[in-house]
Structure formats: structure tokens, C-alpha cells
Amino acid sequence: MATSPCSSSGVSSSSSSGFSIDTGLEIKTKSVEQTLIPLVSQITTLINHKEKPKKSEKTLQAIQRVGHAVNQAVGRFVAVGETIANENRELKEEMGFACSEARRAGETIAQLTDMNISERPDPDGCTTIFTDKIGVVKAARLLLSSVTKVLVLADRIVVKQIIASRNKVLATMEHLEKVSSFQEFVQIFSQFGIEMVEFAHLTGDRQNDLKNEKKRASMAAARAVLEKCTMMLLTASKTCLRHPDCESARFNKEGVFQRMRLALEQVVEIVTDSRPNGECEIVPISIYTGIKEFKNKIEGLRDNLYYLSKENVSTMLEVILEHTEDFTDSAYTSHENREHILELSNQAKKELEQLVSVWMQAQAQKTKDIMEDLELAILKMCQCITELKRELHNAATVLAADLLKHHTEHMVLKALKIAGTEGNLEAVAEYTCKLTEQKEQLVETCRLLRHVSGTEPLEITCIHAEDTFHVSGPQIVSAAETLALHPTSKIAKENLDVFCEAWESQLNDMSVLLREINDVFEGRRGEKRAYLSLPRPGKHNSNLKTLKPVKLDVEEQGKIAKLGLEVRLLSSDVDSEAEKWEDQENEVVRNGQSMSSMAYTMYLFTRGEGLLKTTQDLFHQAEVFATAGLKFSSVLHAFSNQLEDDDKPLLLLEIEKLIPLSQQLQITARTPVQGKTATFTKVDTCIQKSKAMMIIVLQVLPICWKLQRKCKTGNGCFQSSPSWRENCLQNITNEDSMEGRTVEAFGVKSLEHHVANLTFLESK
């Protein structure tokens, strides 16, 4: 089986043939990674063909053509690589050596696959051959290593371009700061605009190409600052030129230049993975990260009672509870939220004491009763910490929503503009106090939102919003003071308008951020999965449209709460199993995670929360979940077809259980019912069947994971890939199409964004 070659730390591939590669080079961009995948796939399939000493003439011709196609494509690739080396002296030696190795490996592969098919064939029409398998493996390993080296070196050129572009922008900014006439300013600012456009293109391409989500979010934040500050720099500089003796105008201008310098420095830190003076980046720990790690450790006790110390667990909880003080100490947290957070914090301490007590007993005596008590203690601890997380989320998001609603009309900004236009310094001072208070509220709210953001990219966005409000407040004040001192100045008025618009824009961004945080919390989107929880309008079963949607009452929710909690625990376990997979884009993982997310929304329904508001919503979701189950069955079938016969039975048995359950749930969800009792029975049945399906998903994921790991360690659990070996090397029916497919699979891929017109393995 051809395996995916790339990981965050390097490029690697292994198979039962003994073929493997680890370049030791970190692949940071998607374009480099995706460029290498087809090469690794083709080379791997080439050396993993069926070990048969006899091959037909067509098969031999196909192998020979593949070898020559590889050599020719590598030759073209290397020619461009050598041109790049000649144009970049600092890379010439390294690039030249890598290109030389790639060319040598390509030629070796061509020689080893160049079989003399004119020799006497056997009576059955086949020719007996003896391939130098070890030689092919060594050449393939060298080829992949050297090609990866060339790509990574070429990628440095993009980084070099970004740094050079940054340096040009900085140099022009220095000129802009020192100009003393409008005419000179206009000329230099025109040049600055051109350079900023070039920098925006380079950094935008890099942002989209970065594999690391956290770095992409950081790059987006830095680019947003630069984009907004460009207009501020224009008006602030013009104001300073118009009123050169005005202290507030100078302060305003200096603030913009400082923000832009910091943003430019941040971009360079992202693309070079380094910080000034080698210092480490210190990112404050959020509560959602702490709780996630804590729960994983606690749940790990089910498998191993000794891998963790009680002191370690206690410390983790202490850190989480220390961070909750950001909420309880905040002047903006409501009294009710503060009380609930303190109660849940105390409860968490008690639950941990109980858990540690049972845990120590289990280490001393592992009886059935004690293990059941341990399981109960784990469930209670996890439930308590989840409730704490929910209360913190509620406190932060309600505060943010109320604050955004209160400032919808931007009354303080409007008042500042009027006071400035009237030249009323007292009124400006009065509204400056109000804006400062608003700024402090927003900064504090962003800090609380960061704790419950749910993903690293959203956490970065919260930090960016916090910094923006912190810096923008004083800049608006200085712009308002300048206008109050020069109330007839059109440029001072324009400058204040620009800063106020930036503030309003950031409030809009915060509104979007709040919605995204709620989406993550309610399961509408996540770090590793994306699905449409509810069918789109117009896609529902026509029989369901006429039914009146109803909600469960308190008594019904109470009855179904235990079942919902069981579904929630299954969803959590599935997520934990999915996180073990290195390849998060694997179809088995993606479909399993998608079903887990849908199951979680059903759990939220049993609590009267989340997206599913009515029973009709639940039935729509159940139908979608059933369809997802059938799709997952197909994915598992495709996975099983790649397995050796000995490894199939266990997986096929689970598939045979999943298909009828999915079909039954589909029928139940589509069957109309009337009356309160019948509706509740249908709700219960839908969730029961969904739970049964999740149990199968939970059993299947570790099975597939173990089989995949078995393959990677070279134990040969996978059959040869039918797309290449069976269809092409065993019984080729169309040799020309086979050759075309192989060469095309290398990819006619122009690496414009990071290899400076280097075309990788273009087809004929």
C-alpha cells in the first residue's frame, strides 16, 4: 500500500518491502507536502509489486516505461533546481549536491527497470526475470531524500523574498517618518503602497500554504494589523504634517508606526520560526487546554493505573482552578456566575479527592467492585470538570454578547467626534474616560474568551483582539484631542474618523469571533472535522414537513438524560481514539469524527441545549446520522478490501452490524408519528439506535488503527494496491493508459509560490 509520505516533522514512508525514508527535514508548507505525495506513492507502488519471477511482455514494458518516466521527470526537475542554485549563491552548494543525488537516483531507477524483453519467453508467453529489489529501494530512498532537500531549500527562497520585502517596507517607513513636506510624503507613500501590496501578496500566499493552524492564525492577525494600519499611517502622517507642533498628533502617528513595526517583526518570526535573541515565545495557558489535558489524563487511568502520579493530577487541577480566578476576580463577571464557578471549583476538588482514594485502592487491590467504583469516580470527575467548563463558557460569552449589544450604536465614538469638532476639550476628556472604561471591559472580555475559545486558532484571534483594543483606545483619544485643538482641520477630522472606523471594525470582528467560539462549543465546527449538522432547507423528507415541531418537557428530558450522557461518553471515547491517528485526513478517521460530532449534538438535545431545538430537528439529525453510518460502512469496506484475508473477519463482522442499524435508524427517523407518547418513544428509539451505532464506531476505530500500524511496521497486513499493482502488473489491459496515469500521478504542478517557477515532474 502506498502510504502518505509527509508529516509535520519530516517525510517518511514504509512498507512490507522494507522501503522507508526519513529525510529529517521539517515540511512546513502544504505545497511542498502535496508535491511529494505523488512521488512517494509512485515509487512505493513501483517497488511493492507482486513478488512473481515471471511477468508478461506488457507488464515488463509498463515497468520499463515507468522507470524511464521517473528518470526523465527527475531530469527536468533537477535542471530547474540547478538554475535556482546558480541564481542563489548562498544555496548553490547544498542545492547542487541535492540535485546531483536526485539525478543519480533517477538514472539508477531507469537502469534497474530497463529489462531485456527480447530474451526467450517461456512457453506460457511470460519472461523469467530477477529484479534487484534492494537496489531499487536504495535508489528510491535516495531520490525521495534528495528531491525533498531540493524542495525545502527552494522554499527558503520564499522566506528570503518575504524578509527582503519586509526590509524594503521598513526602509520606506523610516523615510516616511522623517519627511517634512507634503510633496515628499506623497512621493514616498506611493512607493510604500506598492511595496505593501507586494508584501501582502507574499504573506497571503504563505499564510494559505502553512500547515500549522496556529501559525496561519498568527499570520492572519499580523496581516490584519498591517492592512488596517496602512490607512491610519496615511491620515496620521498627514495630520502630523499639517500640525507639526501638536503633541497629540505626534503621539498618534508614533503609535501607528510602532504597531506596524511589531506586525512586520511578527511575520518574520512566523516564516523563520525564530524570535529575537533566541527567546522562547510565551503563550498564556488557556483553561480549555488545561481541562482537555486533565480529562485525557484522568480517562487514561482506565487503561493504566500507574502511568500517572496523584501529585501530577492534583497539580493539573490546581492550575485550572487558578485560571478560573480570572473569572471570579473580574469586576465584569456576574454574581451568579461567580458563585457557580466557585461551587464547581470546590466540587472538583472533592471529586478529585474521591477519585484519588479509589485509584489508590485499585492499585493495591484490583477487584471488580473497586474497578467499578473507579469508573464511577472517573465519570463524576469528568462530568464535574465539564460542567465547570460550561459555566466558564457561559460567563465569558454572555458578558461578550451583552457588551457588544450595549455598544452597537457606538455612542461614545459619536460623542467624541462631536466634542472634537466643537473644540470642547472638557467634553473630550469626559468621553475619553468612558472610552477607556469600554476599552478595559473589551480587553478583559477578550481575555476571558481566550480561556474558552476551544481551538488554538481562535485563541490566537482572541489575543489579537485583546491587543487591538488595548492599543486602539489611546490612539482614538489622541486623534480626538488633536481635533479638539484644531476643530476646523479637515485632515484631523478625517484621521479621527479612520481610527473610529477601525474600532468599529474590530467590534464586528469580535462579534464573528464570539459566534465561532459558540459554534465550536456547541459542536457546529471543530478543529479536525466539518459537517452540516442539519440537512439544508428543502432537503427534508416531505412526510415530515407537515408535522408540528415540539420540544421535550422537563420530565421527558429527565427520562432521557442518562441515555444522552451515555452517548456523550461514547462521543468522547471516539474522539480520543481518533486523536491516536497520525493521519487525521484518513477517510476512516474523518467519517468517525463526523459521526461523533453528530452524536454530540444529540446529547446536547437531551439537555435542552445546542442546535437541535425541537424533536423534528432531532429526527432530521438522526436521518443524517444514519446516512453517515452507511457512508462509514462503505469506507470500512474499502479499507477491508486492502487487507489480507486473515485480517478481514473482525472488521467485516462490525460492518455487518453497522449497516442494518443504520437502515433501521433511517426508517425510524422517516416514519411520521403523532401524539406526545409516540413522539417521545421515537426520540428514545432514535437515540438508542444512535448509541448502538456509536458503540460500533468506537470498536472499529482501534481495529483499523492497529491494522494500519501493523502495515507501517512492515508486517504486511495490506494487500498490494489494486489501482497500480493488480490492475497494471498482473493483468494490464491497456498499457498506454497505464503509462499516462503513472506520469500524470507525479503531478503537472507548478510550485509558483515557493519554488520560483520550479515545475515538478511535468508530464510529456
Side-chain angles (χ1 to χ4, degrees):
M1 175 184 176
T3 57
S4 176
C6 303
S7 67
S8 60
S9 59
V11 179
S12 62
S13 177
S14 61
S15 69
S16 58
S17 68
F19 169 61
S20 65
I21 173 176
D22 185 357
T23 66
L25 298 170
E26 183 179 4
I27 306 299
K28 300 175 184 177
T29 58
K30 291 181 282 188
S31 54
V32 171
E33 180 180 78
Q34 292 302 315
T35 301
L36 286 168
I37 287 174
L39 176 61
V40 175
S41 175
Q42 289 299 309
I43 295 298
T44 305
T45 54
L46 180 66
I47 65 175
N48 281 354
H49 62 77
K50 292 284 186 180
E51 298 287 354
K52 291 185 178 181
K54 292 185 178 183
K55 300 194 183 296
S56 68
E57 183 176 334
K58 285 187 177 181
T59 301
L60 295 177
Q61 289 175 345
I63 293 174
Q64 190 174 37
R65 286 173 179 169
V66 171
H68 282 297
V70 169
N71 187 32
Q72 290 172 7
V74 169
R76 290 189 291 272
F77 171 78
V78 165
V80 181
E82 288 173 338
T83 302
I84 292 174
N86 291 329
E87 293 172 354
N88 296 269
R89 292 182 179 179
E90 70 276 15
L91 298 178
K92 186 171 183 178
E93 185 176 347
E94 282 185 277
M95 183 81 88
F97 181 73
C99 286
S100 175
E101 286 201 323
R103 176 178 277 119
R104 180 160 57 89
E107 291 171 351
T108 302
I109 288 174
Q111 291 170 4
L112 292 173
T113 55
D114 188 8
M115 303 169 187
N116 188 355
I117 56 179
S118 62
E119 293 179 354
R120 302 187 309 275
D122 291 345
D124 58 3
C126 295
T127 302
T128 302
I129 63 163
F130 300 96
T131 306
D132 183 2
K133 194 66 167 287
I134 295 175
V136 174
V137 169
K138 289 175 67 176
R141 190 177 291 136
L142 177 62
L143 175 60
L144 288 171
S145 176
S146 54
V147 167
T148 303
K149 181 76 170 178
V150 171
L151 288 169
V152 171
L153 287 171
D155 188 62
R156 288 188 197 170
I157 296 169
V158 178
V159 175
K160 178 183 171 184
Q161 289 173 340
I162 291 173
I163 293 172
S165 180
R166 187 282 307 256
N167 291 340
K168 283 199 296 184
V169 170
L170 272 178
T172 307
M173 280 175 59
E174 287 183 11
H175 291 310
L176 279 174
E177 268 192 300
K178 297 174 182 177
V179 296
S180 56
S181 71
F182 271 104
Q183 185 177 1
E184 187 183 5
F185 174 79
V186 169
Q187 290 175 346
I188 298 176
F189 191 83
S190 297
Q191 178 187 343
F192 175 74
I194 294 169
E195 292 169 354
M196 280 300 296
V197 168
E198 178 193 358
F199 188 72
H201 281 307
L202 288 171
T203 53
D205 290 341
R206 190 67 175 185
Q207 177 186 322
N208 293 330
D209 202 20
L210 287 168
K211 287 172 58 182
N212 187 296
E213 286 189 345
K214 189 174 178 180
K215 287 183 179 178
R216 283 208 303 273
S218 296
M219 181 72 88
R223 294 179 71 243
V225 170
L226 293 170
E227 180 184 348
K228 291 177 180 177
C229 280
T230 300
M231 179 55 73
M232 295 179 192
L233 185 143
L234 173 61
T235 57
S237 297
K238 286 166 64 179
T239 303
C240 224
L241 286 169
R242 178 74 69 187
H243 309 288
D245 298 325
C246 182
E247 186 68 20
S248 56
R250 185 187 58 77
F251 175 83
N252 185 257
K253 171 187 163 184
E254 288 177 353
V256 177
F257 275 91
Q258 179 63 13
R259 285 189 71 192
M260 292 195 75
R261 286 195 180 92
L262 290 174
L264 289 166
E265 189 61 39
Q266 184 180 350
V267 168
V268 172
E269 289 173 8
I270 294 166
V271 299
T272 60
D273 261 344
S274 62
R275 291 179 63 81
N277 305 320
E279 61 190 44
C280 296
E281 182 181 11
I282 301 175
V283 178
I285 301 298
S286 63
I287 291 177
Y288 90 85
T289 301
I291 287 178
K292 183 179 179 181
E293 292 177 357
F294 178 76
K295 285 182 67 178
N296 287 339
K297 296 290 186 184
I298 293 298
E299 291 173 342
L301 294 174
R302 294 186 177 110
D303 301 320
N304 188 340
L305 294 172
Y306 303 96
Y307 86 111
L308 200 62
S309 70
K310 63 180 182 179
E311 290 79 14
N312 184 262
V313 175
S314 298
T315 300
M316 290 180 74
L317 182 61
E318 283 175 16
V319 171
I320 292 170
L321 298 184
E322 279 178 14
H323 285 309
T324 63
E325 293 175 5
D326 287 348
F327 289 79
T328 55
D329 292 348
S330 172
Y332 307 112
T333 301
S334 70
H335 176 72
E336 183 181 359
N337 282 133
R338 185 177 290 107
E339 289 298 312
H340 286 165
I341 292 168
L342 290 171
E343 287 174 11
L344 288 167
S345 298
N346 290 329
Q347 184 184 341
K349 293 177 184 177
K350 293 176 183 177
E351 295 293 355
L352 183 61
E353 288 177 6
Q354 178 62 24
L355 172 62
V356 169
S357 174
V358 178
W359 176 17
M360 295 300 105
Q361 292 178 41
Q363 286 185 345
Q365 190 176 8
K366 199 172 181 180
T367 66
K368 181 181 178 181
D369 288 343
I370 291 177
M371 293 309 295
E372 287 179 354
D373 289 343
L374 178 63
E375 177 64 22
L376 182 61
I378 290 172
L379 289 175
K380 284 185 175 181
M381 182 73 256
C382 290
Q383 185 176 2
C384 178
I385 206 73
T386 299
E387 287 300 319
L388 176 60
K389 183 175 76 169
R390 184 180 303 281
E391 189 62 39
L392 295 170
H393 172 87
N394 183 59
T397 55
V398 168
L399 172 62
D402 290 345
L403 195 57
L404 288 168
K405 184 178 179 181
H406 181 68
H407 295 300
T408 301
E409 300 299 324
H410 309 295
M411 299 305 296
V412 175
L413 297 182
K414 290 177 181 178
L416 269 175
K417 289 180 184 179
I418 294 170
T421 305
E422 294 174 348
N424 190 339
L425 286 169
E426 289 184 6
V428 167
E430 178 187 344
Y431 289 110
T432 291
C433 292
K434 292 184 178 180
L435 182 67
T436 302
E437 182 182 346
Q438 181 181 335
K439 179 206 74 175
E440 290 173 354
Q441 283 182 311
L442 289 165
V443 167
E444 181 82 5
T445 303
C446 290
R447 192 172 296 130
L448 299 183
L449 284 175
R450 178 180 60 78
H451 277 304
V452 299
S453 53
T455 70
E456 281 192 329
L458 289 179
E459 185 178 351
I460 295 295
T461 308
C462 289
I463 294 171
H464 165 66
E466 180 184 340
D467 292 342
T468 300
F469 285 124
H470 182 74
V471 174
S472 297
Q475 287 186 310
I476 291 175
V477 170
S478 62
E481 288 174 348
T482 301
L483 179 58
L485 291 169
H486 308 279
T488 60
S489 174
K490 291 182 180 179
I491 184 57
K493 182 179 184 303
E494 180 190 0
N495 188 48
L496 178 58
D497 287 341
V498 167
F499 279 91
C500 288
E501 285 170 9
W503 181 273
E504 292 169 12
S505 173
Q506 189 57 51
L507 283 173
N508 290 335
D509 291 346
M510 185 176 173
S511 179
V512 174
L513 172 62
L514 177 61
R515 186 162 65 246
E516 290 181 342
I517 290 172
N518 281 324
D519 284 349
V520 169
F521 189 78
E522 294 181 2
R524 280 176 279 195
R525 57 159 284 198
E527 292 176 285
K528 302 167 187 168
R529 62 185 84 117
Y531 75 99
L532 194 62
S533 177
L534 292 172
R536 284 174 285 187
K539 299 292 183 182
H540 302 159
N541 188 301
S542 58
N543 293 330
L544 300 176
K545 289 181 180 177
T546 57
L547 298 179
K548 181 181 179 182
V550 296
K551 293 184 178 182
L552 295 183
D553 59 29
V554 176
E555 182 180 352
E556 290 169 334
Q557 280 185 2
K559 291 179 181 177
I560 212 163
K562 182 176 181 295
L563 180 59
L565 182 59
E566 290 170 348
V567 171
R568 168 68 184 93
L569 294 172
L570 285 168
S571 175
S572 176
D573 290 340
V574 167
D575 288 343
S576 297
E577 287 296 333
E579 287 177 359
K580 294 178 182 178
W581 290 65
E582 294 176 1
D583 180 12
Q584 289 292 317
E585 295 303 312
N586 186 289
E587 284 295 309
V588 174
V589 179
R590 289 176 61 189
N591 282 272
Q593 287 179 321
S594 179
M595 292 184 69
S596 172
S597 292
M598 296 183 199
Y600 185 77
T601 62
M602 294 186 192
Y603 155 74
L604 291 176
F605 172 82
T606 65
R607 295 177 55 88
E609 301 170 2
L611 276 176
L612 311 180
K613 303 300 183 185
T614 67
T615 54
Q616 202 59 50
D617 290 341
L618 177 71
F619 301 151
H620 293 327
Q621 177 70 93
E623 189 175 345
V624 175
F625 187 76
T627 303
L630 293 172
K631 181 184 177 184
F632 191 43
S633 301
S634 300
V635 170
L636 293 173
H637 262 302
F639 184 87
S640 69
N641 288 337
Q642 300 172 20
L643 301 174
E644 298 289 0
D645 291 340
D646 293 342
D647 296 299
K648 284 186 180 182
L650 186 59
L651 188 56
L652 290 175
L653 184 64
E654 297 302 325
I655 296 172
E656 288 171 4
K657 294 179 187 175
L658 183 58
I659 292 174
L661 272 173
S662 301
Q663 292 169 339
Q664 291 166 20
L665 178 58
Q666 212 168 41
I667 294 169
T668 302
R670 290 174 177 174
T671 303
V673 294
Q674 292 186 354
K676 185 176 181 181
T677 303
T679 300
F680 178 76
T681 301
K682 181 176 176 179
V683 168
D684 183 69
T685 304
C686 284
I687 297 179
Q688 288 281 9
K689 292 190 181 298
S690 299
K691 172 191 167 186
M693 290 170 64
M694 285 298 292
I695 291 173
I696 295 175
V697 173
L698 182 58
Q699 291 171 340
V700 161
L701 280 179
I703 293 173
C704 294
W705 179 70
K706 288 175 183 175
L707 290 172
Q708 190 194 53
R709 284 180 64 85
K710 181 180 176 183
C711 165
K712 285 188 175 182
T713 55
N715 293 333
C717 68
F718 284 98
Q719 293 180 345
S720 301
S721 175
S723 62
W724 154 253
R725 288 178 289 277
E726 291 181 9
N727 293 344
C728 299
L729 292 174
Q730 287 186 34
N731 49 20
I732 297 174
T733 58
N734 189 335
E735 54 188 300
D736 293 332
S737 65
M738 180 267 177
E739 181 190 5
R741 244 191 346 267
T742 304
V743 179
E744 184 183 355
F746 279 98
V748 187
K749 178 155 182 144
S750 175
L751 308 176
E752 296 174 344
H753 301 319
H754 72 290
V755 194
N757 298 320
L758 169 62
T759 303
F760 178 70
L761 298 177
E762 48 194 354
S763 62
K764 295 180 181 178

